[in-house]
Every structure is written in C-alpha cells, then in structure tokens.
Amino acid sequence: MTFKNITIERDGLTAVVTINRPDALNALNGETMRELIHAMMEIEEDDDIGAVVLTGAGKAFVAGADIAELSEMGGMEAREASKLGQKAFAAIENLSKPVIAAINGYALGGGLEIAMACDVRIASSKAKMGQPEVTLGLTPGFAGTQRLPRLVGFGRAKELLLVGKPIDAPTALSYGLVNRVVEPDELVDAAKEMAGAIASNGPAAIALVKACVNKGAGAGLETGSAYEAEVFGLCFGIGDAHEGIAAFFEKRDPAWKRKKKD
Ligand code: CAA
C-alpha cells in the first residue's frame, strides 16, 4: 500500500516507521490511524522484518490526536475516532515484532498514548511528554487512562492526567515512562541499535516473550505462568531452542528459521 502520512524505511532487519505530517506536528488524524493499521499488517506478514522503530518527522514525535479533525465531531463520531485510535495502537501492541518508540520531541495526548503502546521508549533529551487533554475539556481517548497507570503507577498517572502539564525527558525517565534518554542526534541510531540487537535473537522467542508479557499483564500470576509454560514448550517444538542451545555449545551464531512457511 502507498502511504500519505507515514514512511517506512528498511535498515537490515529493522523497519523505521516515521509519522510524517510535520506541518501539523504529526497529529494523528483518521487517515494516519488507518495507514498505521495497514502498515502493521504489512510488517506482520514480512518475515524479513524483526523489529520496528517508530518516530516522528521534524520537531515533534506526535502532538496528539488531530485537534482540527476533533473540532468537527459530534459524540458518536468522537466515539468512533477513539475506537479507531485504540485499534491502531492495539495493532502496534499486538504486533509479533517489538516496536521501539524513538521520541524525538513533543509526545502529547495521542502522541504519548501511541508511545505507550510500543514495547520500549527511548527519548531525546529535548522531548516533552504529557496528557494535556483535560486542558481542552476532554479525556484521553486512545487508552492513555489505562496504559499510563500501568507504566508509572496510579499516583503519577493521575497527576499527569489531571494537571495536564507536560514533563521533560529526565522526569519521564525517573518515572519509568521511558527506558532511556539520549542526545537528540543519537536518538534514531540508539533505537536502531536496540532494534538490531532484538532482531538478532530467535524470532519466535521474541514474538512469544512479547505475547507472554502482554497477555500476563491482563491475567493473574497463575494464568500468566501457565501460558508461559505452554510457550516455553513451543520454543522446543519449533526447533529454535535446540538451534540456539547447539549454537552456544558449538560457539557459533545461531541460524534462526525466519520464514514462517519453511
Ligand atoms: N492537532 C492538529 N494540529 C496541531 C496539533 C494537533 N494536536 N498540534 C499542533 N498542531 C498544529 C498547529 O495548529 C500549528 O498549525 P499552523 O502552523 O497551521 O498554525 C502547527 O501544528 C504548529 O504548532 P504550534 O504553532 O502550536 O507549535 P508550537 O511549537 O508553538 O507548540 C505544541 C507546540 C506545544 C505541541 C502545541 O502545538 C500544542 O500544544 N499542540 C496541541 C497538543 C495537544 O493538546 N495534544 C492533545 C490533543 S487531544 C488528544 O490527543 C486526544 C486523545 O487522546 C484522543
């Protein structure tokens, strides 16, 4: 599919997805949400992609949902827009390949919400993050009220959601909202380096670890652990565990099976 609002570039086993509406600070309109859903479907099916970096063009990561588009909406339309955004972010969260958010600037409202749907967040030291929706008289609509407390705890999440003021990158790091903070000119390389390290590991194990953590987050310890045991067995059934262990003893790199249909 050809995209208008996003670009996808390959670098080895990594796909760099850039949200590209710099004139609107990469605000997420419906069209961009639909493009993201299609992009995730394409990436899912491509066995030559092992990890994804998500970033924004220009000075912003994503400045939120598109306020111009929101301004035209009635109640039912806004409800559909919320569901569309949630669907797009779930496509990122449920993608079998890890997604690293490279937060290059403002990540506000829907911008922080999309970053939180990613597996790992690396921020530029200049980034600013927050949930300013209440300053516009609305609530977050792309699951910010749900993912933020899971990442930073209820107290900090409620402060960010209720005050509505953005925080800087060092504060986000101290909250555990981002994994690392790097200088702006090192950001994309740092994200690509992490993506490359992930993509060199067993592809099935990577997908299964992501699924275990995500499914476990919504289940109790007992159910999550039972799922993990099934998945652990699967690693041996598909041969990746035998290959990885053999490579360890033979002091060589593992030859992973990348094609699902091999
Ligand atoms: N939607 C649409 N357009 C946006 C936008 C947004 N979220 N954010 C910025 N823009 C546009 C501006 O209107 C402006 O357009 P023009 O050049 O045509 O005037 C352009 O991007 C540049 O923005 P600014 O001139 O405002 O840039 P700045 O550097 O002075 O300020 C900013 C940057 C602090 C991020 C400011 O743009 C801002 O506060 N943006 C809105 C942030 C926000 O409230 N996000 C939450 C949106 S609601 C949401 O996301 C709901 C949800 O969860 C579903």
Side-chain angles (χ1 to χ4, degrees), residues 75-224:
M76 290 308 279
E77 278 173 298
R79 179 170 175 264
E80 288 311 307
S82 170
K83 286 187 175 181
L84 177 65
Q86 291 180 2
K87 185 176 169 187
F89 296 2
I92 292 171
E93 192 166 66
N94 295 325
L95 187 75
S96 70
K97 296 129 201 234
V99 183
I100 299 164
I103 305 173
N104 52 303
Y106 293 111
L108 300 175
L112 183 54
E113 290 170 302
I114 195 172
M116 290 191 292
C118 297
D119 300 288
V120 174
R121 284 152 291 285
I122 303 180
S124 145
S125 57
K126 298 261 169 67
K128 294 259 192 300
M129 287 153 265
Q131 298 287 166
E133 287 89 342
V134 288
T135 67
L136 298 169
L138 43 121
T139 63
F142 303 150
T145 58
Q146 304 307 302
R147 288 197 179 96
L148 191 56
R150 284 170 165 81
L151 272 172
V152 304
F154 282 91
R156 283 171 169 160
K158 283 185 180 167
E159 183 181 341
L160 286 168
L161 290 159
L162 297 172
V163 176
K165 286 204 182 355
I167 53 172
D168 61 16
T171 308
L173 183 64
S174 75
Y175 282 12
L177 183 55
V178 298
N179 299 62
R180 282 172 61 193
V181 176
V182 298
E183 288 311 308
D185 58 350
E186 294 166 7
L187 178 67
V188 173
D189 283 348
K192 280 187 187 172
E193 194 182 321
M194 190 183 285
I198 290 170
S200 70
N201 294 324
I206 291 297
L208 294 169
V209 163
K210 185 169 166 173
C212 273
V213 175
N214 286 353
K215 293 215 181 301
L221 180 64
E222 201 179 327
T223 308

